[in-house]
Amino acid sequence: PFVRARLLDGTHALRRCLHVQSVSSWAPVCIGPYSQANVLRSSLVLVAGMIGLVPETMSLVGPEGEDGEAWEAQLRLSWRNAASVLDGLEDGG
């Protein structure tokens, strides 16, 4: 009911997008023709898939040490990147 009501409510923006176009320190740049986040009618937030890229270098993060697993470090960074994209929205997603 909430989302349907928002979609029918013409007072909210139909769509807002967040698209990082250059190298930044807070989120990886888009590596394809898409936006990191889309907000529909101020209520539904769609976030693109994230991988464990270091925003400043656009390279995959490696193991954190002798016992560290690369996939664990990449997983943590992908979640951090997704959170940064949500924080980058005007209203915090």
Side-chain angles (χ1 to χ4, degrees):
F2 173 77
V3 173
R4 183 174 177 80
R6 289 288 196 146
L7 290 173
L8 297 174
D9 183 358
T11 61
H12 296 283
L14 180 62
R15 180 177 177 215
R16 288 186 298 126
C17 297
L18 177 68
H19 185 96
V20 179
Q21 297 179 351
S22 62
V23 176
S24 71
S25 61
W26 63 275
V29 67
C30 284
I31 56 175
Y34 60 88
S35 299
Q36 276 97 337
N38 288 287
V39 182
L40 305 176
R41 289 287 187 191
S42 303
S43 62
L44 181 62
V45 179
L46 306 171
V47 178
M50 298 283 166
I51 60 176
L53 290 176
V54 178
E56 297 87 358
T57 62
M58 292 300 292
S59 60
L60 283 172
V61 68
E64 294 183 334
E66 291 296 316
D67 296 329
E69 294 279 346
W71 70 268
E72 290 173 328
Q74 292 171 9
L75 178 63
R76 280 191 293 278
L77 189 54
S78 65
W79 278 105
R80 190 175 310 136
N81 290 341
S84 294
V85 166
L86 289 173
D87 287 344
L89 295 171
E90 288 177 13
D91 57 1

